[in-house]
Amino acid sequence: MDNAFILLEIVFIPIVGSLLLPLFGLISSRLRNFLALLFVLCSFALSLALIPPVLSGETLTFSKQLALGFNFVLVADGLAVFMACVSSFISAIIVLYSFDYISHYENRNEYYFMMVLFLGSMMGLVLSGNLIFLYFFWEMTALTSWRLIGFFREKTHVLKANKAFLVTIFGALAMLVGFIIIYNQTGSFDLAVIKESFKTIPVANLAVLLILAGIFSKSATLPFHTWLPDAGVAPSPVTAMLHAAILVKIGTYVFARLFLATFALVTDWHTIILVITAASALIAAGAAMIEKDIKRIVAYSTISQIGFIFFGLAVGNQTAVAGGLLYIMMHGLAKAGLFLGAGVIEQNTGIRDITKLGGLIRTMPVTAAAFLGCSLSVMGIPPFGGFFSKYLLFSGAISSGRIAIALVFLVGAFMTIIYLFRLFNMVFMGEPQTSRAKEKSPMMVACVMLLAVLSLAGGIFINYPSHFVQVAVQGMVGLIN
Amino acid sequence: MDNVLLLFLIVPLAAGILALLVPGKARGPKELIILAATFLNLLIAAVFFKTGLTYSFPWVPGIGLEFSLRLYHFSAFIILAAAAFAFLIALYSIVSLAEKPYAKQFFAYFLITLGFVNGAVLADNLLLLLFFWEGQLITLFLMISVGNKAAFKTATKALIIVGITDLCLMVGIALTGHLAGTLTISKINLPLDALGGMAFVFLMIGAISKAGSMPFHSWIPDAAVDAPLPFMAFLPASLEKLIGIYLLARISLDMFQLHPASWISTMMMIIGAVTILLAVMMALVQTDYKRLLSYHAISQVGYMVLGIGTAVPIGIVGGLFHMINHAMYKSCLFLTGGAVEKQAGTTSLDKLGGLARKMPITFACFIVAAAAISGAPPFNGFFSKELVYDGALERGFIFYLAAVAGSFLTAASFLKLGHAAYLGKIREENRNVKEAPLLMLIPMVVIALGCIVFGVYNKLPLQALIQPILGPERLAGHSFAGWPAKAALVIATFVVLAAAFLNHRFGVRKNGSGLKASDHIHYAPILRGIYDRAEKRFFDPYDIGLKAVNMLSEIAWQCDRAVDWIYDTLVVRVTYACTHQIKKAHNGNYATYLVWSLVGFLLVVVFLLQSVKM
Amino acid sequence: MTSLLILIPLFSVMVLNLPSRTMMRRFAFWLSLTLAASQVCLAAFFGTGLWSSPLDIYGSFFRFNLAVDNLSRIMLLSVGIVVLTAILVGRETIKDENQHFNFTNLMLLVLAGMNGVVTTVDVFSLYVFMEITAVASFVLIALQKERDALEASFKYIVFSALASVMMLSAIALLLMTSGGTGFAGISQSLKSLPANPLTLLAMGLFVCGLFIKGGAMPFHGWLPDAYSAAPAPVSILLAGIVTKTLGIYTLIRIAGFVLGPNYALNSILLLIGALSIVAGALAALGQKDFKRMLAYSSISQVGYIVIGLGCGTPLGIFGAVFHLFNHSVFKSLLFANSAAVESQTGTRNMERLGGLAERMPRTGATSIIGFLSAAGIPPLAGFWSKTIIVVALWQAGFRAYSSVAVMAGAITLAYFLSMQHRVFFGKIKEELKSVKEANFNLLLPALFLAAITVGVGILFPFVHDTFITSFFR
Amino acid sequence: MPIDIIILILLTLAALWTVMSNSLLFAAIGLALTSAILTIVMFRLNSPLAAVFELSVCAGLISVVFISVTTMTQPQSRQEVAQHTRDRLGRFKFLPLIIILVALALVILNLKPGAPLPTPETGEDVRNVLWNQRPLDLIGQVLVLLTGVFAVVIFFKEKSKDE
Amino acid sequence: MNSQALQLFWSFGPFVILLAVIGIYCILVTYNLIRALIGIEILIKAVTLLIIVAGYVTGHTALAQALVITLIVIEVVVIAVAVGVVLGLHQHNDSLDIRKLRNSKG
């Protein structure tokens, strides 16, 4: 099969498929569920198919010239395929988890529609080689996440969803202006052209600032982060998908795509970004220590960990960027596991306040084990995958001479350990405070366990993702040596 | 041939996983697995003891992570020691944990820990070392948390402390790798300049925290109470000391050029001295068998750190010798504690007494080990301590004084412990106590004999095992085996031991019982207040740290709320204020609207007209 | 053939009012529907060539000054779509048979008037057709003779009269300076003459008149009242197309092609546009009445069109036209939704609504599509037009305006989200439990318009290539 | 020319009176008067046909419409009228002032009146223009009248049905 | 357009402006619906005059007359519709007071 055609399929199978899902939902909900999974798996499988050519250094491109410079360009390089694989894979697990989780709520058609559409948009985003289409898919992810966050349609839920939508859109609009500035500088929205153009001229600072606003709002970084904990009202698979595994990674991806793979920033920008993200990591970690709602804690943890990813990307040398990308993957797996685990707890006990939980390890041992595994991965403890990514970050930062900022992040890492253990202890240890809550759905628990096992496997078989990431990093122009 | 090194990993890890899989209720399979695995491990360690092997394959080339293992004299020594302890403690724990529901899990974690320890010791790549090093965190956590109901809190404490220090180790490794340009331990040789010193400090934090030195010690006394006893003998008493000090020795001796003149050396000595004194002060006033021992486990680390920190050969040899000695007598002591707990059902000293007659072999082992830890000749502790004294004296009288004071208090506290637990009147409820079962006695006796052998025939460990570590250059032909060279120091030691005995007599007479033999120190005017606060964990670095973190968190939380306020309140209010004004302007009167239009029109016209004149 | 656009509705009205009126009544709805639908089809699927082909039958008799270019064609399409929607909605919401018949007739007249507006090439004829449309709108607003509707109608009359007077003055001045009223003549003479105060005055008058008609801030006073008080189909008509044709299309035509491009004029357009965008959006945020909120939203969206026009570059004008079309579609859609909500619940007060998505899922879903398009969220049509406008503005160097236009998107989204969560989400109120989904006549246009919005959004490149590219030629 | 100026001044005064007069009836009559004077101006300006239209339709028809509306709406009570008159005076008294000011401003700004009227050009015939050049306007007139018919039907006929 | 025509125009122009001012003032200030319509009428008169003048000074009197005739027809219809609306309002409000037209606001 023509490789460029695969690119189209990766994006459009889920998008077109999602449109059909409500129709299938009218026929049979099982069929719809199955198809939803199938579409996502299709994307995943096709993304996997791209790995061999990408590893051999090839860059696949699909390009269609359209009017006004809005060319539809899909580019599959290492970075894009890496993100595509990670996000589609996690999505598949989450969709699988949703089968049971969502089965007793209304609007399931809309749910699957939005889920799969989200994945399709995500694929479009990562593969897009044109700023306008990048923005296009970016907003589509915002749109779908808005509906997914407000899935329960209660007033408060919808208000939170609106907040998330507004904040991210505000950032996205700022970013759009940034894109337009770049367009004005280079005369094109095409990333390849932009890359060439910026070899000779520096990129406008205003554009960088505006794009950063977009990135930070999407990736929930200070000062645009508060929508993320609030969005915890969503169903757990949604929070896992959007806020842990995929949506918030969009910002980091675009950061890497633009600021590293397309053009270079001046060092001052790196310093500024590092300071912001360090503050973000610390403040979110502190908030996670104080919060009592299980999902909010995990959400704050996400904010904090996103700070780490930016830390790697902004340090900007090869090691650190590789670490940042690995972090995206490892954190995605582990944090999805945490959110899904929180979902199991929430669904089986009906409680989200950790002060009212306790002793669940006795009734929900598998969940507890998986939750612990995922926590350990997030903390960065070997043999879990999170260890390597964290090490690479620090190693990269130190070899760039950013020791002070590394120490700040070290404090953040300390706090990660503390708040995650606080969470684990309060939920699973101690005296049981609730009636005996069992793990009702084997499928859901299996999904959580699978993520934990994958986090472990990600550590033990680290060389595969690591190699992939190295390849992805090699093509970047914005690296600091 | 070289890949036999993998057996050190595969055997315990595979056995551990297997142990997790076998049914836990039945007696037999799990015991068999742990015994077989530890024995096999010991066997391999013994067989390959003298061979220098290296094994290496690239694991993750991109990040400098090489799976390289190196078996040479030092690591072989540690591996052998660890294997021996593991085997003996496994033997012991088969009995001591026989009825516990968590035995299976404990065995599995035990074996996995052993595998990780082997890996950490063998690793010749810093990152690989870190991998195995931090991997122990999980089993540490799990092993503690299978204990009693409150054990998970201690487990968490342990995990947080060790986890944090391991992160420091990680940063240290990153820094070292950056400075040296390689992560292969045997190729690293760095000067202790500013960055090098920083790297050293980070690595050292990881190492001494594993060993249980202050200020990273505070989980150990808690674990002594909560965790299963074999755990204490296995990890804090022996294996963690072994690998902690092993790493400390490697960074001090191989990876960095540690000189007596450098500030790092002084710092290490201060840490050592402080650890010795503070921990032993705490040990003195404990009233729980295991808890008292656990404070000693901390205190003795001080000697090792002090010894290595002196950076003079005699001190280093002393420190390393003390490491292996301590692992022996302390695990022996913990095992006697375990035997007492198993037989008498408690380790609280006020409920014990007079057990010497009921458990004579245990008592004998206790005597040997206690004498060894107090530094009484001819047991092994005496010789290692003398070496450390000598080294410390070379660097400064104050350090020597601290070490000797520590010795005094150690002796005092063990006199108290022995007196309270084994002598005196037997209590009514302990009438039926019997000697511990054979399988528990064997390890104790073996280790106690080891203490005697290593003391009397100290040439064997020193010349065969320890002095090669320093290498011929450092030793410059000296040998530290045999009777201590400086008679003055020996005399001083005797004086101190005698003083400790007199002090004990005084305390017993003054306060009436062996248990209260240290009360005159405990309730001395100034010390009393300090002790009270210490008992309330006023000085627990962990609690202080947590408080600091909580304060930081509170600040962060306020920042977060402030940011949230901007979105939830400020933006909304400002927007609605604008909206309100606009709505108010639309008063429904069309004349108003007409005026707007006309004004707009006039402005448009004026603007257009002036645009031409310009 | 273009003249048929005007004559056929005219004759239809006449036929419908022939003596056998009772028989014609049933026929009226279908006739009007057919006319509108065929206009949609013709405009959508045939190029401008179709319209310029002469008809021999009466060609010798009448000589009409009409022309259809691509701009007109897009407008014809929009007119057709919105009128079609309004007719369908009208069937459902105007129950009285007499009223409905009058409504249908007036719709045909409006259709004729708007077709005239978009095809004529003469400023005075433009005025005449505008006036036809406006007068029919006055009547339509007051069709049911409710108090508020009459009030709104009166306000509209006053403003419209003022606007007419302004435009007529401008026409008179242009007549004086250029000696004619044809677009081409005026444009030519303006280009050849140096700028003089009289032509500038004419420009100002004309543009301000159009601002009033189009409802740009601060000339918008009549608009919220008229939109909110009119019967549902009339709101659709007014918001969707009437004010857009009378005010905005004409503004594009006059300011973009006849009088301009003129730098000073463009500056005014930019300023007015920015003001409308922001103030309109802010005002919409505080509304309780569903339709009134949509009315203010219209003002805000008009601002986008005006600002795009003010940019003065072909891209900007293209964006403005495209947004005009999109706005017609999505605003009609939203008004159709509001009509559905009003007809099913009997109220437009958003405070008293809530949870309707449960009961009226299709209305809820289409309204989401509508407002997202309005807020410029991909993959909907509004995204492209707004993006084009913004890009054009930035390219032309109006960075501040560009930023305002972009950032106002957030406010737009805010008020629509607020609408959405007050009307469609949340718990359903006790008194609304019995509400059902609107029936077919109300749903069909909503679905149809939503489909257009999504289709144009997703197939934008295609739409652009087949439809709009020729605009530049 | 002076005669034209005088007529125009009269026109203004008539309009002023129309607006200032207290009674609606007088206002309607004033409007008719204004139209009539405008007719004269138009006639003077070579536009006889339009003048005739103006006279018949505006001065005639519209005035009739206004007068009839005035009578159809009930008159207020005498007190109210008196109050109303005072109110009006308060609000309208600025108008003449403004008019004078504007007039002065215009006189100062501009261009003195008094240029001789040019000889009337032989322009095209109005009928020709209307029928041959601007048939669209005629269609427009038809349309607008039709609309007017519907308006009348809606506003007047159905009302009478209600009553 | 020559300067003579311009000058000629300006001899009429001020009166157009004066009429417009009167009309607008009337619309703005009055409290009576009918009087507002009269204001509109006066405005239209001003425009009529303007068109005629414009036609006159440029010699396009025929065109101007054609425009004015159409204008007058439209004017009549507009006024008729307006009067209809006013009567409707009178029915509802029982008064012609403009101040009662403030129902929709905000």
Side-chain angles (χ1 to χ4, degrees), chain B residues 257-431:
Chain B
Q257 300 148 4
L258 183 68
H259 294 293
S262 80
W263 57 275
I264 293 210
S265 158
T266 316
M267 183 192 68
M268 281 171 72
M269 287 168 68
I270 292 171
I271 291 174
V274 168
T275 305
I276 293 171
L277 283 176
L278 293 183
V280 83
M281 291 289 283
M282 287 306 295
L284 190 63
V285 301
Q286 298 305 317
T287 56
D288 184 284
Y289 200 137
K290 293 194 291 184
R291 207 169 156 80
L292 188 147
L293 290 181
S294 69
Y295 272 109
H296 280 291
I298 300 160
S299 163
Q300 298 301 312
V301 177
Y303 285 100
M304 307 169 208
V305 176
L306 178 64
I308 294 172
T310 56
V312 292
I314 189 165
I316 296 171
V317 168
L320 290 173
F321 191 30
H322 201 68
M323 163 187 80
I324 182 69
N325 292 341
H326 171 264
M328 290 163 75
Y329 57 65
K330 186 51 56 64
S331 53
C332 182
L333 285 169
F334 269 115
L335 295 183
T336 61
V340 167
E341 185 184 20
K342 178 140 177 93
Q343 301 309 112
T346 178
T347 54
S348 181
L349 289 180
D350 48 9
K351 291 181 189 150
L352 293 171
L355 289 178
R357 258 162 290 161
K358 299 284 177 186
M359 304 172 72
I361 303 176
T362 310
F363 180 57
C365 293
F366 172 80
I367 293 284
V368 171
I373 196 173
S374 310
F379 303 110
N380 54 1
F382 167 75
F383 294 97
S384 54
K385 277 195 181 176
E386 287 304 316
L387 292 172
V388 174
Y389 293 158
D390 203 345
L393 193 59
E394 207 169 307
R395 292 297 314 280
F397 186 70
I398 185 90
F399 296 117
Y400 170 70
L401 212 58
V404 170
S407 237
F408 166 75
L409 291 168
T410 308
S413 68
F414 275 99
L415 285 168
K416 166 187 158 184
L417 176 59
H419 193 152
Y422 295 99
L423 304 178
K425 265 193 184 164
I426 193 149
R427 296 177 73 94
E428 200 53 45
E429 61 267 31
N430 293 337
R431 286 273 172 221

Side-chain angles (χ1 to χ4, degrees), chain A residues 151-168:
Chain A
F151 175 74
F152 289 130
R153 300 196 173 184
E154 301 286 325
K155 280 242 149 114
T156 48
H157 292 181
V158 174
L159 279 177
K160 307 280 188 200
N162 289 354
K163 180 178 174 185
F165 199 20
L166 283 173
V167 173
T168 50

Side-chain angles (χ1 to χ4, degrees), chain A residues 414-450:
Chain A
F414 294 167
M415 288 170 81
T416 309
I417 294 180
I418 297 173
Y419 67 71
L420 279 178
F421 257 91
R422 169 177 173 265
L423 175 63
F424 181 78
N425 279 346
M426 294 189 79
V427 173
F428 289 105
M429 298 298 201
E431 288 305 309
Q433 298 195 13
T434 51
S435 55
R436 293 176 65 81
K438 292 254 178 177
E439 293 162 328
K440 279 176 199 138
S441 159
M443 177 93 91
M444 282 160 64
V445 177
C447 287
V448 184
M449 199 66 214
L450 178 61

Side-chain angles (χ1 to χ4, degrees), chain B residues 92-93 96-97 100 102 106 109 139-158 218-237 240 288-291 294 334 337-338 341-342 347:
Chain B
Y92 179 89
S93 54
S96 81
L97 295 180
K100 304 282 192 208
Y102 51 73
F106 182 83
Y109 305 147
T139 48
L140 173 71
F141 174 76
L142 293 171
M143 279 166 98
I144 300 177
S145 61
V146 296
N148 63 22
K149 273 189 179 171
F152 74 92
K153 281 186 181 148
T154 308
T156 306
K157 187 174 180 180
S218 65
W219 63 274
I220 297 176
D222 293 351
V225 178
D226 293 330
L229 191 124
F231 165 79
M232 290 306 291
F234 182 56
L235 280 181
E240 292 204 330
D288 184 284
Y289 200 137
K290 293 194 291 184
R291 207 169 156 80
S294 69
F334 269 115
E341 185 184 20
K342 178 140 177 93
T347 54

